Amino acid sequence: MATSTFTKQFSVEKKKADEFVSEMTKKVTPTLQPDFKPNLVRLSQDCELKENILAALND
């Protein structure tokens, strides 16, 4: 049975911890629209991408 121990101690400054929590709790903006229309427009204009996707789907 493998065991491990963590004997080193460390500390984090309160300011850094607060900055981390603040950053991780920010609300994000979605990058994709629910209908994916911008991606469909790009797909119809990018023939190589369209061919690659069709090839991958047909494998």
Side-chain angles (χ1 to χ4, degrees), residues 36-55:
F36 296 99
K37 282 185 181 175
N39 293 338
L40 290 175
V41 170
R42 180 171 180 267
L43 181 60
S44 66
Q45 295 172 349
D46 190 335
C47 292
E48 184 181 355
L49 176 61
K50 186 174 182 178
E51 289 171 6
N52 290 342
I53 290 173
L54 289 173

Side-chain angles (χ1 to χ4, degrees), residues 21-39:
V21 170
S22 174
E23 190 67 30
M24 292 297 113
T25 55
K26 284 183 181 177
K27 196 166 192 167
V28 296
T29 304
T31 56
L32 294 175
Q33 294 180 4
D35 59 8
F36 296 99
K37 282 185 181 175
N39 293 338

